[in-house]
Structures are given as C-alpha cells and as structure tokens.
Amino acid sequence: MHDDAHSGVAPLRRNDEFLQRINSIHVDSGISLRELERLCGVHFSYINQILKGERKPSRDTLISLCGWGWDIDQILTDEVLMLGGRPPLNRDVRREWARTTGGIIVPPREQPLSEG
C-alpha cells in the first residue's frame, strides 16, 4: 500500500466544483482528448489526468485548454482559472481575486526594475 504521508508527496486536494466545470466544458465541446492534444500541445494523457483530478494544471495549461481547445470566452475562462486556484485574465477580476484570496498581483508597469 502506498502511503503519501510518508512518501514526501502531498496528496492532491480535490476541487469538485472545478472538476465538474471543466468536465462539463469538455463534454459540451465534443472534442476528443487526442484533438485537444493537437490543438493545445498538451499530451492527451495529461489532459485526462487533469479531468480526473489527478493533476493540477498550471495557469498556462488552463488558458491553452480554454482558449485553443475548448474555444470558450474570456468570462468562462476566468471562471475556470479561479475555480482552479489561478489568477484570472481580466485585470479588474484579477484585482478582486487578489483582494479576496490574499494573492498579490503587481501589474507589469508597476513591477520594480531589476537591479544589475
């Protein structure tokens, strides 16, 4: 029996609302995992693991799946990103997300210049 507590691997926290949403979007799209792989450049087995809640995708992977694969609009993409614990695309929504989650978002023009 594999014991995550002693293996040094943190168990993936399930986010049932996120999983339900992305699975619904995927089914509604009618796109196969192989076609998503072709459209997004994300391996079909990794997409399958995401849909089953076995992997937590990066923000870039979610954006690729939403925009290139499932072809959903920005509002729904922002919802998917936030449900997945990632900052949304829309600047106003991103600020509200940062305020309510404690995330720190620094707009690009306000980032400090690197020293050196």
Side-chain angles (χ1 to χ4, degrees):
M1 175 182 235
H2 185 64
D3 184 3
D4 286 338
H6 298 296
S7 69
V9 176
L12 184 64
R13 285 183 37 209
R14 287 188 57 94
N15 180 338
D16 291 332
E17 189 176 2
F18 171 70
L19 291 175
Q20 181 180 9
R21 193 66 168 134
I22 63 171
N23 277 283
S24 173
I25 291 167
H26 177 65
V27 169
D28 290 347
S29 76
I31 299 173
S32 71
L33 294 178
R34 294 279 185 175
E35 182 67 7
L36 268 179
E37 176 182 44
R38 189 185 70 74
L39 293 168
C40 303
V42 178
H43 197 274
F44 77 94
S45 65
Y46 184 69
I47 297 169
N48 190 45
Q49 290 173 333
I50 292 168
L51 292 170
K52 292 194 300 187
E54 296 172 357
R55 296 285 188 140
K56 183 175 181 178
S58 69
R59 183 173 186 263
D60 288 343
T61 298
L62 282 176
I63 291 169
S64 181
L65 289 170
C66 290
W68 294 106
W70 296 319
D71 193 28
I72 59 176
D73 64 27
Q74 182 178 333
I75 293 170
L76 189 51
T77 299
D78 280 345
E79 179 184 336
V80 167
L81 288 168
M82 289 185 293
L83 287 173
R86 306 295 186 193
L89 299 171
N90 181 289
R91 180 181 291 173
D92 295 331
V93 176
R94 190 168 56 239
R95 285 187 186 128
E96 182 63 16
W97 179 84
R99 186 185 68 75
T100 59
T101 63
I104 298 172
I105 304 294
V106 179
R109 67 180 181 282
E110 296 175 17
Q111 291 179 345
L113 296 175
S114 61
E115 295 179 28

